[in-house]
Amino acid sequence: MSIQNLNTFDPFADAIKSSEDDVQDGLVHVRIQQRNGRKTLTTVQGLSSEYDLKKIVRACKKEFACNGTVVEHSEYGEVLQLQGDQRENICQWLIKSGLVKPEQLKVHGF
Amino acid sequence: MDEDMIFDPSLKKKKKKKTGFDMDAALAGETGESTSVEAPAETGDVDVPEDDNLDLDNFGKKKKKKKKTFFNLEELENTLPETPPTEEPEQQEDEAVDDLDLNIDFTNARKKKKKKNIDEFVLEDDTKGEDQENADDQHGVWVGSDRDYTYDELLERVFDIMREKNPSMVSGKKQKFIMRPPQVVRIGTKKTSFANFTEICKTLHRQPKHLLDFLLAELGTSGSVDGNSQLIIKGRFQQKQIENVLRRYIKEYVTCHTCRSPDTILQKDTRLFFLQCETCGSRCSVASIKSGFQAVTGKRAAIRAKNV
């Protein structure tokens, strides 16, 4: 039996952990933008910077057969851009690859 | 994931082959097809080639998206007669319907609804009266005697009181939130007009500015309210799409997150928006509206000229 007072228990451990993957901050926003004609653009904002976005975009381009790029933004960090309406595709892909949890995904647009 | 990437081109090839095969099959068994259009592919005793015909018919009829046809083709490739591919899309549709079922009706027929509601009220009034009579009877039973109450009696009494106080809850009917559908008209080729924008704001009891901010952020465009109190949005949008966005708005900013009642007030408190429910009294913060990242879709040269 151990004396509880002497246990090294960090009461803030949870707080520190949750601040990292906070639901609000950890959200991945998938948006759609209209371009000229019936063309559209899909943007994915909020992917963790730990991942190599260039590799992700390379895989996505191949998977969805579309072009894409990584854009650096001062406020939102690195943002993924894909040609066409890839919202469904990218959501499924991100979940399948385990990069993002389903509850972290937020799809915008119509 | 690497394996899947190799998947795509091969699938396409298969599709081409299959379409060729379709034609052959169709030519071979024209009579069989014409009869089988009516009957779905549920008959298990049919031979394999005929089954193929049936499946093809079905997906020709449905006109589903490409993905689904891929599924079908894969199944055809394997020639599994036991698994009728008709079920998959239907299930998906059901799910979609469930997702959209937010108790929000964009109904055109307002008058009819009103009539119905009146009927319901009448019915409820009738039942109320009966309940009260019952309750009176039971009260009478208890008042005289000194005995213990049985569980059933108490349960009944509780339910009677509940029915009396709010009849809609016990009967299991969810209060439906009925509003007019948004009137969305295209102006020219590049703009869309949301004609009854202010009207919808009024029915939702929300500031037009708030809804405007949300719509524009969600659609990722720009727009403004013009003199006729209609909203002009840049870009082509259909009524369905606007409805979807409105549904999301209602879910997030109108209905109470606890009891889902639409009877709420949106307050701004120290830079945060709070949703105060009038029915259950709950108060919770709602997400702020952010348009987020906007990619450059216009002419870059024009932007550069503006900046310099």
Side-chain angles (χ1 to χ4, degrees):
Chain A
M1 204 179 106
S2 63
I3 301 159
Q4 259 198 332
N5 285 350
L6 298 181
N7 278 354
T8 49
F9 168 72
D10 183 9
F12 298 108
D14 277 353
I16 290 162
K17 200 180 156 198
S18 66
S19 69
E20 263 173 30
D21 49 11
D22 189 23
V23 180
Q24 268 298 339
D25 290 337
L27 276 181
V28 174
H29 298 271
V30 178
R31 291 197 177 79
I32 189 164
Q33 259 179 287
Q34 285 195 336
R35 288 184 55 236
N36 39 0
R38 49 179 295 178
K39 289 174 187 168
T40 48
L41 190 68
T42 311
T43 62
V44 183
Q45 173 205 323
L47 281 173
S48 171
S49 52
E50 290 165 23
Y51 302 127
D52 190 350
L53 279 254
K54 275 181 191 162
K55 274 187 182 163
I56 291 175
V57 89
R58 208 172 296 150
C60 287
K61 279 159 74 168
K62 219 170 186 183
E63 177 87 3
F64 313 144
C66 68
N67 208 345
T69 179
V70 180
V71 172
E72 184 69 41
H73 192 273
S74 54
E75 191 182 342
Y76 304 116
E78 286 183 316
V79 181
L80 224 122
Q81 281 185 17
L82 293 167
Q83 283 181 7
D85 185 359
Q86 311 289 351
R87 285 176 298 169
E88 281 282 299
N89 292 336
I90 192 78
C91 288
Q92 281 171 4
W93 190 85
L94 285 173
I95 291 165
K96 202 181 79 185
S97 59
L99 292 174
V100 175
K101 281 176 230 137
E103 63 266 19
Q104 281 179 307
L105 269 176
K106 190 150 196 222
V107 184
H108 299 266
F110 34 80
Chain B
M1 53 192 210
D2 289 330
E3 294 159 28
D4 289 339
M5 273 177 266
I6 311 162
F7 224 55
D8 253 329
S10 62
L11 259 180
K12 270 182 190 169
K13 274 178 196 167
K14 270 178 207 166
K15 198 190 172 186
K16 274 177 193 170
K17 273 184 202 166
K18 276 293 153 185
T19 47
F21 175 70
D22 280 2
M23 291 304 290
D24 291 345
L27 288 172
E30 268 181 62
T31 52
E33 268 186 49
S34 60
T35 50
S36 60
V37 168
E38 303 298 327
E42 280 163 18
T43 50
D45 297 339
V46 197
D47 295 336
V48 175
E50 276 190 43
D51 233 342
D52 273 357
N53 275 343
L54 288 173
D55 286 346
L56 291 167
D57 281 343
N58 276 339
F59 86 72
K61 249 167 104 185
K62 266 178 265 148
K63 289 176 189 169
K64 286 287 166 192
K65 283 175 192 170
K66 274 180 188 172
K67 263 190 216 162
K68 281 155 198 172
T69 53
F70 277 142
F71 278 112
N72 281 348
L73 284 167
E74 274 181 293
E75 276 166 11
L76 281 177
E77 178 81 351
N78 296 333
T79 57
L80 292 168
E82 275 113 329
T83 55
T86 51
E87 284 177 11
E88 274 183 38
E90 279 172 6
Q91 280 175 352
Q92 283 174 354
E93 274 177 2
D94 281 353
E95 281 170 8
V97 169
D98 283 342
D99 284 342
L100 293 175
D101 185 24
L102 270 173
N103 290 336
I104 302 154
D105 273 6
F106 290 102
T107 43
N108 276 317
R110 217 188 192 186
K111 285 176 189 173
K112 275 185 189 172
K113 285 282 167 182
K114 267 190 183 172
K115 269 184 193 170
K116 266 187 196 170
N117 279 343
I118 290 162
D119 286 346
E120 281 168 5
F121 279 126
V122 171
L123 282 173
E124 277 160 12
D125 280 343
D126 285 347
T127 50
K128 250 193 215 173
E130 283 171 24
D131 289 342
Q132 276 172 349
E133 279 168 27
N134 284 338
D136 286 344
D137 287 349
Q138 275 164 6
H139 286 311
V141 169
W142 276 320
V143 165
S145 66
D146 217 12
R147 68 192 171 82
D148 290 339
Y149 311 132
T150 64
Y151 175 76
D152 288 332
E153 275 173 343
L154 285 171
L155 194 69
E156 215 164 285
R157 194 177 160 198
V158 164
F159 269 95
D160 282 341
I161 292 166
M162 268 161 67
R163 232 168 276 158
E164 222 174 280
K165 292 275 154 66
N166 45 354
S168 61
M169 193 184 79
V170 179
S171 54
K173 266 183 286 173
K174 280 181 199 164
Q175 207 196 352
K176 281 218 167 179
F177 187 62
I178 296 155
M179 60 182 287
R180 311 268 314 262
Q183 290 170 349
V184 177
V185 192
R186 275 264 291 283
I187 305 177
T189 49
K190 288 191 173 175
K191 282 182 197 165
T192 311
S193 149
F194 183 169
N196 55 354
F197 172 68
T198 35
E199 194 191 321
I200 280 179
C201 286
K202 265 175 203 159
T203 53
L204 297 178
H205 304 290
R206 289 290 169 272
Q207 294 287 331
K209 192 181 170 293
H210 190 253
L211 180 55
L212 173 81
D213 283 346
F214 181 81
L215 279 176
L216 296 183
E218 231 11 45
L219 298 171
T221 55
S222 53
S224 58
V225 183
D226 79 345
N228 306 333
S229 75
Q230 61 179 6
L231 175 65
I232 311 286
I233 317 168
K234 201 179 150 203
R236 306 169 172 204
F237 297 101
Q238 279 154 4
Q239 189 186 326
K240 236 192 196 168
Q241 298 171 325
I242 302 287
E243 265 176 39
N244 270 335
V245 181
L246 268 180
R247 264 200 199 91
R248 233 178 290 151
Y249 179 82
I250 289 164
K251 195 182 170 193
E252 177 70 33
Y253 296 101
V254 179
T255 53
C256 171
H257 292 213
T258 317
C259 69
R260 289 195 189 161
S261 131
D263 191 12
T264 53
I265 298 172
L266 195 67
Q267 295 168 320
K268 197 170 191 181
D269 212 357
T270 58
R271 279 192 256 173
L272 288 173
F273 276 110
F274 284 93
L275 197 68
Q276 173 109 36
C277 181
E278 293 286 278
T279 317
C280 70
S282 86
R283 182 178 156 89
C284 58
S285 65
V286 288
S288 57
I289 297 169
K290 269 189 212 154
S291 60
F293 173 77
Q294 291 290 317
V296 181
T297 50
K299 281 174 183 159
R300 284 168 199 269
I303 296 163
R304 217 174 292 152
K306 215 184 262 176
N307 287 338
V308 173

